[in-house]
Amino acid sequence: ATEDIEAPAVAHSTSLALPEVAGADFWMSLTGHVEDVNCLASLADGRVVAAGSMDGSLRLFDVETGQTLVVRRHSGASGPILALLETSGPVARRSWASPACASPSIRSTNSSRSGSPRHSAEQPAAQYDGPASRFHGGSVSPHLASPSLAPASPPECASADGLLVATRLLLSASNNEMRVWDVSACGSSLCLPEPELDVPCLFCFRFSPNQGQLLSLTGPLDSIFLGFQSTKVFRLRLRDGWDKLMQFKCRSQKTRHFTFNIDQRPPQQCEKQPEQPLAAECAKDCQRLARVAPRLLGVQCGPTCRRTNCSAPKFAFHSLVEAMHGHIGFVHCLASDLKTGTLASGGGDGQIIFWDRQEKRACFAHGGAVLALATSSRTREFFSADARGRIRVWDCANVERGSKAVLALGCSSSAVLSLAVVDKFEEVLLLAGEASGCIRLWDPRRCLVVRTVDSKMGCCAALCLLSSRVLATEADDRWLVRVACGGCSSGVVHVGSLTVVDHAEGAVQQAAVARAHQEVREACIAMAGSESDVRPRPTAPDWSRLLTLLGEFIAIPTISSDSSRADDMQRGAVWIARHYEELLGCTVRTSGRCIIARCGWDDSKPLVVLYAHYDVVAPGQDWNSDPWQMTAIDGFLYGRGVVDNKGPLLAQIFAVRRLLRRHARNSRAFEDDGEGEYMLCLQPEAGTDGAGGPDLSSRSIDEVCPVNILFIADGGEEVGDVDGVRRAIREAREDGWLRGDVAGILVNNSSWIDDERPCICYGLRGVIDLEVKIKGGERDLHSGVHGGLLAEPMFDLMSLCATLTDAQGFPCIPGFSDAVRPPRSEDVRNMTVAASTMDVPALRQRLGLGDTGAAPQWFADGRDPGFEAFRRTWLSPALSITEVGRGPLHKHGRHIPHQASCVVSVRTTPCQRHEDVAGALYRHLRHEFDKRRSPNQLEVKTLVVSDWWEAETSSRIYRAARKGLAEAWGLEESAVLEVREGGTMAMLPVLEAELGCHAVQMALSQASASVHLPNERIATKVLARGVDAIVGTLLSVASAQA
């Protein structure tokens, strides 16, 4: 049973000796399973380990000797054992009478030896002597409750007076079945005359097959929580029915299969069946149970017992089972904190949900399928791990605030399949078993990998802590951890005794990173000429990483207006959520297509909201390169979404990333993983303390970041979907994500007025889209056969459109411009400054007029073309026909459409109300249509309404953005152009209204960027300076708060 995998540090022995040399590990293997091990549980204070495997067997091993103590099986059709849970059973009174017997008196009915699979729970494991005991305050296993089975001296679990005994229970899950085993005998230190421990199966609960496999278990006996493949979590209040179950168990002395269906209530009446001779014993049990159980459990008679043909009772457990809905994927893992009563569930949908009294308390996106959960009873923390190798740390008392730390190793990590917590030391340790087969020991407080151990397995699917202790020496403190692990190892359980030196590997990592940081700083000083000239510029790996990620992001065609791209929209949302986590350690939540991430939770600091969108418009035709493959040409990056708005979104992320690094002077906030990628570790940087060793003082994001950041990544901006963001913000506010002082909203989704001067935008026009439709007959007609016989809808539509504007494009609708506000002095000043250097030929080129093309009248009537262009687009309403449609298109023949329609788009300016403008337009169309006296019908429908927006130029976010932009481009603040735009962004008024603060638009798009057009591009210089400008804005907000 014992096999050395590595050369042990001590002589070979049947007992597992703990090594006394730092770094020397001793491993032994426990064999017996036929297939891979799925789950492990520690029993008897780590002296016994229970293992469940794919072959459906449950084996108990003696860790000291490697001997197989017990072999049990679920029923043959139940499948693999997927979860184990060790818990405490009720307490009962008993007397200690026999002075000679050292173990319970058991008449064995099975002669199988230890390890025999034939000793199955389907057969009675033992017959019990003596009558059923009386129960006082609780119930226990029959052989513990019987007075005639009393040992000579009380076991360790007895009270001081020797009258109370607590049962230890082991719950095992297999497919849709849960069994309850009495493992109290494993805790006895007395010698046993029988070759095998008595571990009877007390009960077997079978659930409805439509719930799928039972994947996870957690909780005390009062509330056993069960996670199923059906995406549901159920709470089973097992203790409420324990007394009556145990009374019936003592009378029958057999394993009973109490079957209940979670979804359907049991039948109300018994199905009468003929009496069978072989069913006499079971019938008596049924009658006895029917007399004692209905008052508590609501027992109903049900289908025939699987062992006999009698009508066996069926427990109505619906009073004891409560369903909890929230996941949309398999519930892979569960964990509970007994003190606070908080339950955590992790699913294959990538969500982690926290529950309080069966009510959903908080829900977060983890970034990958959540595969493992663990809790620390000392620090009251949850630990969760996912398929992408990330481990999150959660405070049980403040789970609504999101994870307090993220443990990750960047691209080198593999999926974490199992977790175990060591909380007996001064510092809590976390053991993580990975799919690569290695076990990492983390210090969660400092986010350090203390040790990495090879488990000698294909994957480490199960971990179980057996024991731990401290060995103090003159040099340092060593932690000795005994752990069992199982996985893809052909049925072998490996037990290891690991020696851990306090932060041995962490100190080496810190020293290496400190040297790298010093080299970078020395290089910056050498280029600048002096230390005082060093400016926070992106390092080469950081800039390279930004460009690499932007190329990946562009390759995802996130077209929100195309329903066939729903999968791509989901991929884009997952991609950006994952990088919020990996690059910044943010806590991320999703609501529909909207992603919200928060970095920093210090309520004493201001909160800055960074808004961007990741959806794009369709690329169209006439591209010079593949729109979904980013191409670099002459200092420009080409691709759909590179400037609107994926490039600015990544600029926001890397700006906050630089801000964290800049303010982490005494902390190792970022680490190069050796492959040019950075990971967020929040580990202390190696310094020198008084003893000459590394400074291990820990600093969190709250200490490092001067402001709190709330990212909003929208997936519906291009289609004008504001309801999704509004709903996401309200949900975040309910969960406490908007606590504190919201300083303002920074948006990077506008354009410059040319290609040379950076701008800050303080105003946008609104938009109203109306569909005008003329309907005629029931079908299309032929122009030769029917032409001239009726009034055609297309002529009516063209006649109405001709009345909307004059020849110069100015609206001719009565009351349309009545509420337009006259230009203010600051508007006139800004238009004059912007027009002073306007390149008129370049303006003609952008309008598509060329050098000799026909120009509008205001180009040639002596007015300043630049000033007039800004006045018309900034402060004047406009009316355009953006689409003309008809009935069904015909490839052949000359048809007369039976209906014709167009879309009229109106741009509104400050002080105009969209109700008044739309009403004036509707009255005008109705008046002109009535004048034609057409027999056709006119229909006008409102499609889109978005209000205009105007920034508060005296707000702190506006002043900070202007200052940050000036510093990034090396300008005076007065030299930064303040402009308006003729376009519309429906989200800005909604954001200001929902968040109760002011917003500002910092443009990162040049005039020639071709937004929404073919060959969309962004200059690399603008993207790099945009990162600088965002950093400067956040620093200005922080300094103003201070």
Side-chain angles (χ1 to χ4, degrees), residues 591 594 596 611 712 714 720-733 738 945 986-987 989-991 993-995:
S591 177
C594 183
I596 295 182
Y611 172 88
I712 299 179
D714 185 14
D721 180 16
V722 299
D723 294 333
V725 174
R726 182 184 288 114
R727 180 174 58 254
I729 292 175
R730 292 177 179 178
E731 291 174 355
R733 177 181 289 108
L738 299 179
V945 175
M987 193 59 60
V990 174
L991 290 174
E994 292 296 328
L995 296 172

Side-chain angles (χ1 to χ4, degrees), residues 102-132:
S103 65
S105 175
I106 302 174
R107 292 201 311 270
S108 177
T109 61
N110 194 322
S111 59
S112 60
R113 302 292 295 175
S114 174
S116 172
R118 293 188 300 272
H119 188 64
S120 170
E122 295 298 326
Q123 303 171 352
Q127 297 292 335
Y128 304 105
D129 292 331

